[in-house]
């Protein structure tokens, strides 16, 4: 998809703060309110803008213990892969799941309260999933960069 410079600026502004009014955006983009509204609608209709969300402060909601858990499946059979993916979708502690190449099959990003909460998650939820051969966990020491923005 080709985007002109105005679309790129608009998308960046919306990613920074999607609660800006079309009037505020029109001022920043030097466009009419109607033109901004139409561009936003076009980007939504094309599926470029998928949805609008509120980003929460992990510390204030007590989910600031972040774990990257590498998961290896017992086999790479299609049914095992699809079943694991279905089951991991239901784990509320898992905020991201990537099917990856390399020594492990998946990387999960998990947000919990503390180490004890993570242990409970592992024992009562993750390790109860079928077809998991092994896991390897890494714990976040500090956050260097965290953004949801995609710059075009």
């Amino acid at each position: 998809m080709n985007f002109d410079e105005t679309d790129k600026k608009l998308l960046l502004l919306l990613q920074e703060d999607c609660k800006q009014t079309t009037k505020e955006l029109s001022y920043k983009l030097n466009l009419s309110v109607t033109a901004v509204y139409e561009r936003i609608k076009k980007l939504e209709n094309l599926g470029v803008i998928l949805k609008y969300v509120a980003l929460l402060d992990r510390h204030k909601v007590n989910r600031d213990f972040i774990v990257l858990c590498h998961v290896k499946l017992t086999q790479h059979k299609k049914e095992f892969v699809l079943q694991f993916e279905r089951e991991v979708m239901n784990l509320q502690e898992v905020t991201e799941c990537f099917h990856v190449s390399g020594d492990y099959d998946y990387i999960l990003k998990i947000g919990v309260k503390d180490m004890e909460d993570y242990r409970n998650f592992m024992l009562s939820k993750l390790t109860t999933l079928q077809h998991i051969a092994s896991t390897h966990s890494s714990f976040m020491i500090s956050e260097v960069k965290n953004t949801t923005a995609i710059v075009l």
Side-chain angles (χ1 to χ4, degrees):
M1 220 175 264
N2 292 324
F3 302 100
D4 64 20
E5 288 305 310
T6 303
D7 283 337
K8 290 177 185 179
K9 288 178 189 172
L10 175 58
L11 288 168
L12 190 58
L13 289 168
L14 287 171
Q15 288 180 96
E16 289 171 357
D17 180 8
C18 69
K19 288 189 75 173
Q20 296 176 81
T21 65
T22 50
K23 185 176 181 179
E24 292 170 319
L25 292 166
S26 70
Y27 176 75
K28 292 175 182 177
L29 295 169
N30 200 27
L31 292 175
S32 70
V33 172
T34 303
V36 170
Y37 176 82
E38 289 173 354
R39 281 178 182 263
I40 291 171
K41 282 296 163 202
K42 178 188 82 174
L43 293 165
E44 289 172 346
N45 292 334
L46 291 171
V48 175
I49 298 173
L50 297 176
K51 61 183 173 179
Y52 299 92
V53 298
L55 300 176
L56 306 182
D57 183 325
R58 287 193 314 268
H59 303 286
K60 292 182 180 174
V61 297
N62 218 11
R63 292 284 187 272
D64 54 346
F65 191 78
I66 303 300
V67 183
L68 296 177
C69 181
H70 296 70
V71 176
K72 187 181 291 189
L73 298 183
T74 55
Q75 294 181 36
H76 298 110
K77 293 168 64 174
K78 181 179 179 180
E79 62 195 70
F80 289 11
V81 167
L82 295 176
Q83 181 177 2
F84 174 80
E85 290 176 359
R86 273 193 310 273
E87 291 176 347
V88 84
M89 292 292 288
N90 295 320
L91 301 176
Q92 66 183 20
E93 296 87 349
V94 176
T95 57
E96 296 179 61
C97 175
F98 302 98
H99 193 180
V100 297
S101 63
D103 293 335
Y104 289 90
D105 300 310
Y106 291 90
I107 299 175
L108 310 179
K109 182 177 177 185
I110 301 164
V112 290
K113 183 174 125 184
D114 53 24
M115 181 62 84
E116 183 180 345
D117 201 21
Y118 182 62
R119 182 177 190 276
N120 290 335
F121 167 77
M122 285 294 290
L123 294 175
S124 65
K125 294 183 180 180
L126 188 62
T127 57
T128 65
L129 301 185
Q130 295 183 28
H131 314 302
I132 293 180
S134 65
T135 63
H136 174 84
S137 299
S138 299
F139 306 101
M140 180 179 77
I141 295 171
S142 69
E143 186 172 80
V144 177
K145 180 178 181 178
N146 180 350
T147 182
T148 59
I150 299 171
V151 180
L152 303 176

